Amino acid sequence: GERPIFLVHPAGGGCGVYRRLASELGGERPVRGVQSAALADPSLELASIGDMAQTYARLILGEQPGGPCCLLGWSTGGIYAWATAVAIEAAGGRVERLVLLDSYLPEEADKLQDDPLFVRQLFRSMAASLGLPALTGLREGIAEGAARMLHRDFMALPSACRRVYAAEFREKLFKRAPWLPRKTVSRQLDLVARHDAWARQFQPSAPECPVTILRARDGRTGTATELEKRAGVAAGTVPGDHFSMLTPPNVAETARAVRRALARQTEEDN
């Protein structure tokens, strides 16, 4: 059958961010989401990025014994996909291609906290994903207003606390949006914190498989990152920012760029 594409979750453990991308890609190949089991049962949380990579490698090889398969990850999901690809290869499997969508090593991502454009994009996306724009039906205006308030709260924190999962920010978030399901959102932010810590343990060794890196055109482009240096490739670009590259209308072009990378690999294999 057709080789599946496995979409590895970003920090937080969920694959919902890939919903539109999966829809765009699913017409030609099977698409599978690799999601954290701890979303449903916190007792199933893994212990480290190494544990995560080994567990996900076993799951993927169980569905696609020996490979080949394609792994894709957005944001920190690219770090987890990279580690999983190395684990699959160490177990004797074959990865067709590893696709990273606007992924950075944590030390590089930290610098984005000081980038006003990135932070505005972050809180615009957060306001929308938390349902803040649905409060009155004035979606765009309310989303922008909520994003400005959250941004102001965030930037008022000491730099060491500028994490969306930090306790100092959580309290401000729940004051701004008291209707949010506190337990559910807190569990999600706990996972974001844990997964972020795991990403900081990551020591990238180059996988044997080919790597494609796609950067958001409206983000930080033009400078080779450590991931690009380790992979030995130059990044391509797609429309949108770090968040909107996975939402309409930009997600269609992101999907086309992924399909081109996979088609190129298929031609090389033949």
Side-chain angles (χ1 to χ4, degrees):
E2 288 294 329
R3 303 169 183 178
I5 306 171
F6 292 90
L7 311 181
V8 181
H9 68 79
C15 286
V17 69
Y18 297 126
R19 182 172 59 84
R20 292 184 177 93
L21 180 65
S23 178
E24 293 280 347
L25 293 173
E28 300 175 15
R29 291 184 181 223
V31 177
R32 306 282 186 267
V34 181
Q35 182 162 288
S36 171
L39 284 173
D41 183 350
S43 69
L44 297 177
E45 183 57 288
L46 302 171
S48 67
I49 191 169
D51 193 14
M52 175 193 277
Q54 295 291 334
T55 300
Y56 293 173
R58 286 194 297 271
L59 287 171
I60 291 168
L61 289 172
E63 180 160 338
Q64 187 77 1
C69 58
C70 173
L71 301 186
L72 180 149
W74 167 79
S75 195
T76 46
I79 302 297
Y80 312 141
W82 181 304
T84 301
V86 171
I88 288 173
E89 291 173 344
R94 176 170 169 247
V95 177
E96 174 187 354
R97 184 169 288 271
L98 171 64
V99 180
L100 310 181
L101 301 182
D102 220 35
S103 298
Y104 295 91
L105 290 177
E107 310 81 64
E108 296 174 311
D110 285 346
K111 298 174 184 175
L112 296 177
Q113 305 290 344
D114 298 320
D115 181 339
L117 174 61
F118 177 83
V119 174
R120 282 199 301 273
Q121 293 165 351
L122 167 64
F123 286 104
R124 188 179 298 115
S125 174
M126 176 178 280
S129 66
L130 289 174
L132 296 174
L135 185 58
T136 68
L138 302 174
R139 289 180 290 184
E140 285 301 318
I142 296 298
E144 287 296 327
R148 282 195 297 272
M149 289 188 294
L150 290 169
H151 178 218
R152 186 166 59 246
D153 291 340
F154 186 79
M155 296 307 292
L157 295 171
S159 59
C161 299
R162 287 181 193 161
R163 302 286 185 275
V164 294
Y165 51 76
E168 296 87 348
F169 179 71
R170 289 191 200 199
E171 288 308 308
K172 293 179 182 294
L173 172 63
F174 290 125
K175 284 181 180 178
R176 295 290 186 198
W179 64 89
L180 289 174
R182 191 176 184 117
K183 184 176 179 180
T184 300
V185 173
S186 291
R187 179 187 295 177
Q188 186 84 25
L189 291 175
D190 287 343
L191 281 174
V192 171
R194 192 169 294 117
H195 293 165
D196 180 67
W198 291 355
R200 292 172 192 280
Q201 303 168 359
F202 179 58
Q203 299 294 324
S205 58
E208 297 174 10
C209 66
V211 180
T212 293
I213 300 177
L214 298 172
R215 294 272 173 229
R217 195 170 295 156
D218 297 339
R220 201 183 93 184
T221 58
T223 303
T225 68
E226 189 61 32
L227 286 179
E228 284 150 69
K229 293 173 185 175
R230 296 290 180 94
V233 299
T237 59
V238 294
D241 60 42
H242 184 71
F243 306 96
S244 67
M245 67 189 298
L246 292 181
T247 61
N250 301 321
V251 66
E253 182 54 40
T254 300
R256 279 192 287 272
V258 172
R259 284 197 296 270
R260 284 194 295 269
L262 298 182
R264 185 167 65 249
Q265 187 61 38
T266 300
E267 291 171 3
E268 291 172 2
D269 289 346
N270 293 333

